[in-house]
Amino acid sequence: MTLTLTDVTVRRGIGPVISDVSLEIVPGEVTTLVGPNGAGKTSLLESLSGVIGVSKGSVTMDGADLTKMSRRRRARAGLAHVEQGRMIFPSLTVKENLQLTARTPADLDAALALFPELEKRIGSVSGLLSGGEQQMVVLARAFAAKPKYLLLDEMSLGLAPVVFLRLIPIIQQIAKDGAGVLLVEQFAHLALNIASDSLVITGGRVSYHGPAKALLEDESLLRSAYMG
């Protein structure tokens, strides 16, 4: 039971942005993906969720081949992708945003239980919320869909570190509830601190794959991985 990339290469334009990357996302665990800007991290997530196709290799989820499957079918199978930029529907209320993915009232209630702040703003128009609250709506909406695997791309983008710190325990809880989480994050140390496995991507290739703890405890290893 894993979400697996095997020797995946992704092309954009005339050349590859990801080359020969292999990775397994395990239910109940957080895997952190870090690397310099432009390294191909977002493209890797997009190849998993079906935003872009792979030119070589395969993507499977719990043994099922996703490589030729549409993005919608992947989502229905249990793969959720939270993209950069707080992708909410600003004219809808918090409740209406969550109802887009919650299959039952119980799913909506379970998502709100993770975010007490949102319960107080349940009838508020989402576009009027703070950046941190909007990111909570995005996370709650993803959780309401009860995904098997959750891809999170730069959740902290545009947020102060103190706001992102409030979201970290929620990511941990989502994993504890059984989802496999792949977290791409600019705050590398914060992300690595909650991960069991980690991957460093540099120039579209894996420069480190191993325990997150090893990167946290060895600054020279992290620096060398970033330098490729």
Side-chain angles (χ1 to χ4, degrees):
M1 298 287 286
T2 60
L3 175 61
T4 304
L5 285 88
T6 304
D7 298 326
V8 163
T9 293
V10 175
R11 292 182 175 273
R12 274 186 153 143
I14 61 173
V17 289
I18 289 291
S19 300
D20 301 316
V21 173
S22 296
L23 174 65
E24 285 191 348
I25 311 303
V26 179
E29 296 184 5
V30 176
T31 297
T32 292
L33 175 61
V34 296
N37 291 335
K41 303 184 297 295
T42 292
S43 294
L44 184 65
L45 263 63
E46 290 178 339
S47 70
L48 278 166
S49 67
V51 176
I52 54 178
V54 302
S55 56
K56 191 183 81 170
S58 65
V59 179
T60 62
M61 186 169 74
D62 301 340
D65 186 5
L66 304 185
T67 309
K68 303 297 182 183
M69 195 177 290
S70 70
R71 186 178 185 184
R72 179 171 295 181
R73 286 185 63 197
R74 296 185 200 203
R76 287 176 177 170
L79 181 57
H81 183 186
V82 176
E83 300 177 68
Q84 292 183 14
R86 296 196 286 276
M87 305 292 286
I88 62 168
F89 292 90
S91 63
L92 300 183
T93 66
V94 169
K95 184 176 182 179
E96 288 167 341
N97 264 279
L98 301 187
Q99 286 174 327
L100 294 173
T101 58
R103 298 173 186 176
T104 67
D107 290 342
L108 190 150
D109 290 341
L112 284 174
L114 287 174
F115 302 91
E117 294 93 336
L118 294 185
E119 288 193 273
K120 302 172 186 176
R121 307 294 302 273
I122 191 68
S124 299
V125 175
S126 298
L128 300 179
L129 303 180
S130 68
E133 289 170 333
Q134 289 183 12
Q135 196 63 282
M136 290 179 191
V137 172
V138 172
L139 256 185
R141 191 174 62 197
F143 181 75
K146 295 295 183 183
K148 296 179 181 178
Y149 300 95
L150 178 60
L151 315 177
L152 300 173
D153 193 0
E154 299 283 11
M155 282 181 44
S156 65
L157 200 64
L159 300 179
V162 67
V163 177
F164 180 61
L165 278 171
R166 294 170 60 199
L167 300 178
I168 288 288
I170 296 167
I171 299 171
Q172 292 175 292
Q173 185 61 50
I174 290 171
K176 186 177 180 180
D177 287 342
V181 178
L182 178 58
L183 175 62
V184 171
E185 186 47 55
Q186 61 178 331
F187 294 128
H189 284 80
L190 293 178
L192 289 168
N193 198 49
I194 65 168
S196 52
D197 194 28
S198 62
L199 209 72
V200 181
I201 298 288
T202 308
R205 294 184 179 273
V206 177
S207 54
Y208 173 85
H209 187 191
K213 185 178 180 180
L215 287 181
L216 279 172
E217 294 179 347
D218 189 342
E219 288 286 344
S220 63
L221 178 60
L222 183 58
R223 284 197 299 271
S224 64
Y226 264 69
M227 294 174 66

